[in-house]
Amino acid sequence: MTALLSVTDLSVAIGSKSLVKKVSFDVASGEVLSIVGESGSGKSMTAKALMGLLPHKASATGRAMFDGMDLLAPEVQPPRGTGIGLIFQEPMTALTPVLTIGLQLTEALVSHGICNAGEAQRRAIAMLDRVGIPSPADRMRQYPHELSGGMRQRVVIAMMMLLDPRILIADEPTTALDVTVQAQILDLLREIVTDTQIGLILITHDMGVVAEMADNVLVMKAGKAEEFGPVQRIFAAPEADYTTALLDAVPRIDASTSRKPALAEPLLKAGGINKTFAKRGAIFSKAARYKALDDVSLTMHRGETLALVGESGSGKTTLGRIIARLTEADTGTVTLNDTDLSALYGRELQDKRREVQMIFQDPYASLDPRHTVGRTIAEPMIIHQELSRSERSERVHELLEKVGLNADMAQRYPHEFSGGQRQRIAIARAIAAKPSLVVADEPTSALDVSIQAKVLDLLENLKRSEDLTLLFISHDLAVVRQIADRVAVMRNGRILELGPSAELFAEPRHPYTRALIDVAPVPDPTRKRGKRPVLQGDYPTGPLSEIGPGHWVAA
Amino acid sequence: MSVTPDIEVPKAPPGFLRRLVRSPSGAIGLIIVLLLIFCALFADVLAPYDPNKMGSGGRFLPPSGDYPLGTDEFGRDMLSRILFGSRITLIVGAVAVGISLTIGMAVGMIAAFRRGWVEAILMRGTDVLFSFTETLIALSFVAVLGPSLQNAIIAVGVAGIPFYARTCYSAALVETSKPYFEASIAAGARPTRLVLVHLLPNVMPTMIVVATLGVSTAILAAAGLSFLGLGAQPPTSEWGYMLAGSRDYINRAPWLMTIPGIAIAITVLGFNLLGDGLRTSLDPVERK
């Protein structure tokens, strides 16, 4: 098959700094090419070079033959939209918030002189229908903010497809979306590729997505192409060491797990927790509140790792924050070691807070930018322990080494560290307080997959050496499978299923759990790619009943 | 497994002062403000005459070798008066901004930290004060306290409080919702520690920029009060008052009005440029 787009020796540089080094690949029609790599690998820059959207001062060299012209030649204006379409990670940025969807869809058709306004309207509605948007004619009059993230991404895809491009570049198109929505968007993209025989360049960091979607894979690292080849070959027999390492680092949802829940005494009991938040913009109406948590109860045993899993809006973070007492529950109690945390206030609470520590998602905002790392780690000791200055700094050095950093880094400031290192520092601060429970809220979702693997290992080791109990909040089932002893699946403020990790993954009893496991991308290209079940809105949310030892399901 | 070196530490970005001087506006602003401080500190040495000595060489002398900026209606040397005026101007700027900054920041930080009814009272009170123009507040203050330079400074300082309180409040709200602040709460930090050790240092950069820009506003406001006869009283060599006093002679001796006017303009420009430079060099995003 002749290539639709043929790239040879593409390099991008800003001044003397080289961002992409001599990358070559082909895309044929009806084919999906995945460019995969970690942050800073130059994968987005490669796409931008093809679109002629490089940042100021950056220059591209090499050849990119498309439709008989070299996209990288200085006199060539890449046929944006009509020849090559681009889909971004965050669908909101691709749409103008102040214009209706209809106007944005038809504008390009009319301005490119493809058809008149009436015809454009008709085509736009047909295309919205094609990308699976219900009642498309009504949507034409709506504004982007009235649609959900997944719907917006569909609109962006429709916008691109209206111009009938030969190649579509999708830069992390599903990274900002929930896993169930991600599955639908990926299905849609594959359908479009099959039906219209366009070439799709899919840029992603997620090996699962690559395995599900790609025909060919280009693995990039630090601007260089490590490997280029068919997806089966890349996964089965990777040639580059980096590819092997990358594949090893990916947590597998289909991995075997031998974890057994510890049968220790209960450490934490959360009972009957309710929390409502005011809806935005509702000042005058008391009724305009939504339930973030609806009568949730949970028991954690000493030494176990319990994972809270759910999509955005499921209430998992709120529950974690209530347990750490960073958010106040409307009703309900949180008891830790027979102390009712929810009844403590003021100084008593401050003294008890040490017991529950939190690790946050955003490694950049987790550390006080004006404090040295050493000072940050020492804070719990300053508050709770009477230690001399030298004892304290000794302990800080000890903690830094425990989390895999060097003791002499204590004098440095957070902005000098990478995301993964900052997360290690945040972990050091958490264990400095000598807590009995650590609440980790998506601690690795902002990190690259190789760094994620190391941070998960670190948490696992510390849990044993520091005698911790871990509440692990995540949207990523594969990560949860790797680290959790028990799993609680949440949706819309309710726990739908709670059980031992091995059992829950092998035999999910609640339909929602089953659906969540089914839609998660698996990094295995040999698995059959079928259209996945669509998650319907209604699931049983009734009271939990025990169906096996320690396995509870909502009826 | 080694995919990415996780332990390597990147190099520290250049220091704050170097970043400030590297931006053109920061460098020019810094030079002007430093010159001004130099003039104020060494006014006694630099000034060729006593600023209040009358009629030594004659009235309304145009700029010349003996009197580089001429003399005023009482024959006082303008250069000496401008130099001594820089002292008062700087004191006015510093003290007035100091008053607004201290009280404004306290109000803003307490409101953002305590939330609830404390926040409601403090911030709605600020809103009420905000709805009057600063000049009106300053005027009513002087009307009660009586016209003097000291009262003008207090008036300008008080009139500036709502602005600083609002700015500090919004900066503090952002910081209190960040994970590092919550991590500190979770570590059991006492309220005083949270405010003084975490909140204050993190809102300070914003407030320094605002205060630097605010110095020029305060100087203008105090000069305005003096111009109206509500601030500095004769024979003080204050620029605003000098401007007002020379109004009657604008045709006969235009330099009498021009020179203090230019002095005020340059000072305001200097502080504005410095504030601008500080904003870029204190912003962590701009550091890279």
Side-chain angles (χ1 to χ4, degrees):
Chain A
M1 204 189 299
T2 52
L4 202 55
L5 170 73
S6 177
V7 177
T8 346
D9 289 344
L10 168 66
S11 300
V12 179
I14 296 182
S16 60
K17 200 179 169 211
S18 175
L19 301 175
V20 177
K21 295 160 204 155
K22 298 216 166 203
V23 170
S24 306
F25 57 87
D26 294 330
V27 186
S29 78
E31 188 184 84
V32 180
L33 168 78
S34 252
I35 305 183
V36 65
E38 299 188 274
S39 47
S41 61
K43 53 189 195 298
S44 288
M45 212 43 97
T46 306
K48 283 185 180 152
L50 296 178
M51 293 295 283
L53 291 173
L54 284 177
H56 188 58
K57 285 178 190 159
S59 60
T61 55
R63 263 158 49 95
M65 296 309 291
F66 171 74
D67 206 11
M69 59 181 156
D70 181 3
L71 295 176
L72 300 177
E75 70 282 357
V76 171
Q77 177 76 26
R80 283 176 217 145
T82 50
I84 306 180
L86 184 62
I87 299 170
F88 295 97
Q89 173 174 345
E90 178 46 68
M92 201 61 197
T93 53
L95 296 169
T96 311
V98 294
L99 297 180
T100 60
I101 283 158
L103 206 61
Q104 300 188 53
L105 284 170
T106 52
E107 188 199 11
L109 281 176
V110 176
S111 73
H112 276 99
I114 295 169
C115 58
N116 62 29
E119 170 69 7
Q121 187 81 9
R122 206 186 52 74
R123 283 198 199 180
I125 294 175
M127 187 56 81
L128 283 181
D129 191 39
R130 170 72 194 79
V131 298
I133 289 181
S135 50
D138 297 337
R139 303 290 175 185
M140 294 285 281
R141 284 188 295 276
Q142 289 187 315
Y143 289 88
H145 72 264
E146 296 176 65
L147 303 183
S148 67
M151 282 296 165
R152 273 184 225 144
Q153 199 61 295
R154 284 174 194 267
V155 170
V156 174
I157 293 172
M159 206 157 131
M160 291 299 141
M161 291 314 295
L162 269 178
L163 294 174
D164 217 4
R166 312 257 313 272
I167 285 191
L168 202 55
I169 301 179
D171 190 352
E172 304 268 10
T174 57
T175 306
L177 304 175
D178 274 328
V179 56
T180 52
V181 183
Q182 158 170 305
Q184 295 164 20
I185 297 290
L186 292 180
D187 281 343
L188 172 65
L189 282 174
R190 198 166 45 227
E191 248 176 66
I192 287 176
V193 170
T194 321
D195 290 357
T196 61
Q197 289 295 305
I198 59 167
L200 174 66
I201 301 180
L202 181 69
I203 298 167
T204 181
H205 68 281
D206 187 333
M207 282 304 206
V209 172
V210 174
E212 304 246 335
M213 295 289 292
D215 299 305
N216 287 315
V217 182
L218 173 72
V219 182
M220 287 186 71
K221 183 200 178 191
K224 279 207 282 273
E226 289 282 327
E227 195 162 3
F228 174 59
V231 66
Q232 270 86 0
R233 211 267 297 141
I234 296 268
F235 276 76
E239 280 165 9
D241 292 344
Y242 177 71
T243 314
T244 316
L246 204 57
L247 286 170
D248 283 349
V250 177
R252 298 283 298 249
I253 194 173
D254 53 350
S256 64
T257 169
S258 56
R259 290 177 163 282
K260 285 221 167 68
L263 291 169
E265 75 272 31
L267 171 75
L268 175 111
K269 276 186 183 160
I273 293 180
N274 281 289
K275 177 76 189 172
T276 60
F277 286 114
K279 276 188 185 146
R280 278 260 290 272
I283 310 167
F284 299 110
S285 150
K286 285 253 175 199
R289 298 178 75 83
Y290 71 92
K291 280 193 163 176
L293 288 175
D294 184 3
D295 193 24
V296 171
S297 299
L298 196 66
T299 304
M300 287 187 71
H301 303 281
R302 194 178 293 280
E304 77 168 340
T305 300
L306 173 68
L308 291 180
V309 178
E311 299 186 275
S312 49
S314 62
K316 57 189 193 300
T317 294
T318 309
L319 182 56
R321 290 177 57 89
I322 284 173
I323 287 170
R325 195 88 197 272
L326 288 171
T327 298
E328 299 283 324
D330 295 345
T331 58
T333 56
V334 177
T335 315
L336 184 84
N337 271 339
D338 301 326
T339 316
D340 186 358
L341 285 183
S342 43
L344 295 180
Y345 289 95
R347 204 162 250 263
E348 272 183 326
L349 173 65
Q350 285 154 21
D351 289 336
K352 203 73 193 166
R353 276 187 181 281
R354 182 188 67 74
E355 296 271 352
V356 184
Q357 289 298 300
M358 191 134 181
I359 300 166
F360 297 89
Q361 173 174 3
D362 180 359
Y364 293 89
S366 290
L367 307 173
D368 190 330
R370 313 223 160 248
H371 286 200
T372 62
V373 163
R375 197 171 167 205
T376 292
I377 297 175
E379 180 161 47
M381 298 176 232
I382 297 172
I383 297 167
H384 295 289
Q385 290 169 308
E386 309 249 322
L387 289 176
S388 72
R389 197 172 272 271
S390 62
E391 280 172 322
R392 211 153 56 209
S393 85
E394 199 176 304
R395 175 108 174 92
V396 167
H397 292 165
E398 201 180 292
L399 283 165
L400 275 172
E401 275 164 9
K402 227 175 226 173
V403 296
L405 297 170
N406 295 332
D408 57 12
M409 290 175 178
Q411 299 309 314
R412 302 206 181 213
Y413 285 88
H415 68 259
E416 299 174 46
F417 293 88
S418 68
Q421 291 170 334
R422 286 184 216 208
Q423 209 57 308
R424 284 169 191 265
I425 295 163
I427 292 171
R429 168 182 55 198
I431 59 174
K434 295 187 188 267
S436 40
L437 176 70
V438 171
V439 179
D441 185 5
E442 305 260 12
T444 60
S445 47
L447 306 176
D448 276 329
V449 56
S450 59
I451 311 286
Q452 159 170 296
K454 292 177 183 174
V455 170
L456 289 176
D457 278 349
L458 174 68
L459 277 176
E460 189 72 57
N461 292 336
L462 286 174
K463 206 191 94 185
R464 258 179 251 126
S465 67
E466 304 294 307
D467 193 22
L468 298 175
T469 307
L470 188 61
L471 181 62
F472 191 90
I473 300 168
S474 179
H475 70 281
D476 189 334
L477 286 165
V479 168
V480 163
R481 168 148 209 168
Q482 187 181 330
I483 196 162
D485 302 314
R486 289 198 304 147
V487 179
V489 179
M490 291 189 70
R491 186 166 192 264
N492 292 342
R494 302 274 303 172
I495 292 180
L496 298 185
E497 183 163 2
L498 171 68
S501 179
E503 214 175 303
L504 189 130
F505 278 101
E507 262 185 86
R509 300 298 286 268
H510 195 279
Y512 180 69
T513 314
R514 214 172 299 141
L516 265 188
I517 294 173
D518 283 347
V519 297
V522 178
D524 181 0
T526 57
R527 274 171 53 120
K528 211 173 75 190
R529 300 177 188 184
K531 204 174 156 94
R532 278 157 294 208
V534 179
L535 284 180
Q536 299 297 336
D538 287 329
Y539 289 102
T541 60
L544 293 173
S545 57
E546 191 162 17
I547 52 143
H551 194 155
W552 301 74
V553 176
Chain B
M1 187 196 72
S2 66
V3 176
T4 312
D6 188 14
I7 307 298
E8 205 171 278
V9 173
K11 232 173 83 183
F16 155 70
L17 203 68
R18 188 171 293 175
R19 287 196 308 274
L20 175 63
V21 178
R22 214 177 270 169
S23 75
S25 61
I28 297 171
L30 190 66
I31 291 171
I32 294 177
V33 171
L34 285 178
L35 268 178
L36 206 67
I37 294 174
F38 180 79
C39 291
L41 283 177
F42 299 104
D44 325 41
V45 189
L46 293 171
Y49 304 95
D50 177 346
N52 295 330
K53 188 168 166 253
M54 293 193 226
S56 50
R59 307 163 63 204
F60 301 119
L61 291 179
S64 66
D66 284 345
Y67 299 95
L69 297 180
T71 60
D72 69 0
E73 72 270 31
F74 298 112
R76 295 175 293 196
D77 177 42
M78 279 299 283
L79 176 62
S80 307
R81 287 181 67 75
I82 289 289
L83 284 172
F84 274 91
S86 68
R87 223 174 236 193
I88 292 170
T89 302
L90 278 187
I91 291 171
V92 167
V95 176
V97 167
I99 294 172
S100 336
L101 190 66
T102 328
I103 302 178
M105 277 184 77
V107 169
M109 286 200 299
I110 291 170
F113 179 68
R114 289 299 303 273
R115 310 301 292 267
W117 61 270
V118 179
E119 175 189 28
I121 291 175
L122 287 177
M123 292 329 286
R124 294 301 81 76
T126 306
D127 286 345
V128 171
L129 271 181
F130 232 149
S131 53
F132 298 98
T133 58
E134 287 191 27
T135 326
L136 189 63
I137 299 174
L139 273 177
S140 46
F141 244 80
V142 174
V144 175
L145 297 173
S148 78
L149 183 61
Q150 190 189 328
N151 292 343
I153 294 175
I154 296 174
V156 171
V158 171
I161 291 173
F163 175 69
Y164 289 83
R166 268 249 146 239
T167 317
C168 182
Y169 169 71
S170 40
L173 265 192
V174 172
E175 296 303 323
T176 50
S177 63
K178 283 192 183 160
Y180 78 81
F181 198 81
E182 299 197 315
S184 209
I185 295 175
R190 313 265 183 258
T192 41
R193 180 179 175 85
L194 288 171
V195 171
L196 295 180
V197 177
H198 290 287
L199 196 50
L200 184 62
N202 280 294
V203 297
M204 215 52 210
T206 314
M207 296 314 290
I208 288 174
V209 174
V210 173
T212 316
L213 295 171
V215 169
S216 48
T217 321
I219 289 174
L220 278 179
L225 285 179
S226 297
F227 183 86
L228 296 174
L230 301 171
Q233 300 299 309
T236 324
S237 26
E238 202 275 342
W239 294 347
Y241 164 71
M242 286 161 73
L243 206 61
S246 56
R247 227 174 356 179
D248 299 341
Y249 318 107
I250 185 148
N251 289 324
R252 198 170 160 196
W255 62 89
L256 289 189
M257 226 175 153
T258 319
I259 291 162
I262 290 176
I264 294 175
I266 289 179
T267 309
V268 169
L269 180 72
F271 277 104
N272 277 337
L273 288 176
L274 181 64
D276 219 39
L278 283 173
R279 176 167 51 213
T280 21
S281 55
L282 285 173
D283 185 352
V285 181
E286 302 266 348
R287 271 181 209 170
K288 288 182 181 169

